[in-house]
Amino acid sequence: MNSITLHDKTFEVFIPETEISAIVHSMVNAINNSGIKNPLFIAVMNGAFLFAADVMRKITITNTEISFIKLSSYSGTETTGMVNQLIGISNDISGRNIIILEDIIDTGITLEKIISLLKKENVADIKVATLLFKPEAYTKDIPIDYIGKSIANDFVVGYGLDYDEIGRNLPHIYKLKD
Ligand code: IMP
Ligand code: MG
């Protein structure tokens, strides 16, 4: 079945799970070969939970750690422009080499907020890895170090991404059917 309905909307398969897996594989290869020492991954919940899990099990760098941050900027399919920090970093991360793991970067508002929070903690370095990126929606100048796939301004769900909290369990990524 290629179409699914979530709440009031219909979605069609956009990135099948085989392609997601190939994308994650090549991103992890790049990180494994980057020479980064003792990385601390910071995964942005909830959307990045599957991506983070798939990245972590392929990382071969010794002394790799992971932590989680939870923010929210979306209501339905429209960004609200406001980011609320819900769960922050409680352990000492000063001097750490951070790699942020995002499911998707849209306007970049969430990313900017996370980076400003991390900079206050005097981290050594911040890299950004996102599975999906919407270049036409991006309003920030922050460089993104690892991009899985750049996509058009479509609303997508699945593989961790939600439409009003449902659809995260879907193995493929779907986009809104027009
Ligand atoms: P930004 O702050 O506008 O960059 O939005 C980032 C957050 O919005 C992501 O971490 C997602 O949780 C959510 N988001 C952005 N685009 C989509 C989408 O197409 N589907 C589902 N969630 C999205
Ligand atoms: Mg998110």
Side-chain angles (χ1 to χ4, degrees):
M1 216 179 65
N2 271 348
S3 273
I4 49 141
T5 300
L6 299 172
H7 297 303
D8 56 336
K9 297 196 191 319
T10 307
F11 295 83
E12 59 192 359
V13 173
F14 175 44
I15 312 173
E17 75 177 315
T18 48
E19 186 182 342
I20 298 170
S21 159
I23 291 168
V24 173
H25 196 85
S26 79
M27 294 179 80
V28 174
N29 272 346
I31 295 169
N32 279 337
N33 294 326
S34 69
I36 191 168
K37 299 269 182 274
N38 308 347
L40 170 60
F41 286 96
I42 294 185
V44 185
M45 293 291 106
N46 293 327
F49 80 106
L50 288 180
F51 176 52
D54 285 347
V55 166
M56 273 307 270
R57 72 181 118 203
K58 291 192 174 74
I59 289 289
T60 53
I61 306 163
T62 48
N63 303 324
T64 295
E65 295 177 36
I66 188 164
S67 192
F68 302 90
I69 192 169
K70 184 168 181 176
L71 302 106
S72 129
S73 70
Y74 256 67
S75 172
T77 57
E78 304 280 344
T79 185
T80 61
M82 289 180 300
V83 177
N84 305 307
Q85 186 185 1
L86 302 176
I87 300 169
I89 301 287
S90 50
N91 43 333
D92 181 14
I93 58 168
S94 61
R96 298 302 305 267
N97 294 319
I98 307 291
I99 303 178
I100 295 169
L101 292 177
E102 260 287 25
D103 51 350
I104 188 162
I105 297 175
D106 187 338
T107 62
I109 293 168
T110 308
L111 179 66
E112 184 178 61
K113 177 74 185 173
I114 293 165
I115 288 181
S116 83
L117 293 167
L118 293 177
K119 283 193 168 155
K120 285 188 204 146
E121 305 296 324
N122 298 312
V123 298
D125 185 49
I126 303 172
K127 296 270 189 282
V128 181
T130 189
L131 179 67
L132 300 175
F133 178 51
K134 295 183 183 174
E136 291 158 31
Y138 196 54
T139 60
K140 308 295 175 189
D141 300 320
I142 302 159
I144 304 171
D145 304 275
Y146 304 97
I147 295 173
K149 189 181 175 88
S150 291
I151 64 169
N153 261 348
D154 297 308
F155 187 78
V156 295
V157 294
Y159 190 69
L161 291 145
D162 70 304
Y163 169 40
D164 276 348
E165 296 305 328
I166 62 171
R168 297 191 195 276
N169 54 302
L170 299 166
H172 313 298
I173 291 172
Y174 292 71
K175 76 173 176 186
L176 200 55
K177 213 169 169 173
D178 31 39

